[in-house]
Amino acid sequence: MSDLGSPGATAAKTALRDQLVTNRNRRPLLELGEFARAIADHLLTRPEVRRAATVAAYVSIGTEPGTGALLDALLEAGKRVIVPVVLPDLDLDWAVYRGSTSLVPARMGLLEPAGPRLGVDAVAGADAVLVPGLAVAADGTRLGRGGGCYDRALARVPAGTFTCVLLFDDELLPGVPHEEHDRRVVAAATPSGVRVFG
């Protein structure tokens, strides 16, 4: 894969993103539901998630690994769950998730909580941070959709926090193109289980 900061990294990322999004769009809907439940089951048994008082997560859309069951299970377990609100500059503010009925349509086809905003630094107070992505490398380098939202958010998360990307099994790759601003995660949750890096 491309070297850190090399001129070809951006083009390589774009090509890989296109391939990964195409693969996701081909997944059967029934499979998406089964995979969402499996990912939720794996994460809910992780000690880092079980011990967490606050979990930062996200509301999945389209063919992303589904988070609906996971978010509701976290609430049922008594967790405080915060989810992102995308700001005009593509940074992430955060708000408390109070169930799917508390969500309203937002920009870019997203759903977000209707409640008060907590500020961009709220993610720093989460005990576990669950993020979307398109792929992850064996060293934890995450490939996102290209807006940089989650790289900025992950930069605010203290070292040692459980940061985990939710993916499908075939999105665990030996390497991904990366640039200097890209942030690593410590784990990936897939339908097969949770893999911890390093």
Side-chain angles (χ1 to χ4, degrees), residues 100-124:
S100 60
T101 58
S102 71
L103 299 173
V104 296
R107 299 173 344 142
M108 300 185 290
L110 301 173
L111 293 169
E112 62 187 36
R117 305 298 181 245
L118 304 173
V120 296
D121 292 323
V123 68

Side-chain angles (χ1 to χ4, degrees), residues 35 38-40 42-43 65 136 164-172 187-195:
F35 286 174
I39 290 171
H42 293 308
L43 282 169
V136 71
C164 182
V165 61
L166 279 57
L167 299 170
F168 299 111
D169 289 302
D170 57 0
E171 295 168 344
L172 297 174
T190 73
S192 295
V194 176
R195 178 175 176 185

Side-chain angles (χ1 to χ4, degrees), residues 45-185:
T45 61
R46 288 295 302 186
E48 300 92 344
V49 174
R50 281 200 329 264
R51 289 192 305 258
T54 298
V55 177
Y58 65 98
V59 179
S60 61
I61 58 167
T63 56
E64 290 181 323
T67 60
L70 173 63
L71 293 173
D72 291 339
L74 289 168
L75 284 186
E76 288 169 19
K79 312 293 182 192
R80 178 177 179 255
V81 180
I82 61 173
V83 296
V85 175
V86 180
L87 297 172
D89 66 355
L90 299 183
D91 206 345
L92 298 180
D93 200 337
W94 298 85
V96 175
Y97 175 79
R98 301 189 191 286
S100 60
T101 58
S102 71
L103 299 173
V104 296
R107 299 173 344 142
M108 300 185 290
L110 301 173
L111 293 169
E112 62 187 36
R117 305 298 181 245
L118 304 173
V120 296
D121 292 323
V123 68
D127 305 299
V129 180
L130 311 177
V131 299
L134 290 172
V136 71
D139 66 355
T141 301
R142 177 189 149 274
L143 179 69
R145 291 201 176 255
C149 303
Y150 281 92
D151 288 315
R152 283 189 261 180
L154 288 168
R156 298 182 178 107
V157 175
T161 303
F162 181 73
T163 55
C164 182
V165 61
L166 279 57
L167 299 170
F168 299 111
D169 289 302
D170 57 0
E171 295 168 344
L172 297 174
L173 304 177
V176 297
H178 58 285
E179 298 172 275
E180 194 170 348
H181 65 267
D182 291 327
R183 298 291 170 162
R184 291 184 176 149
V185 292

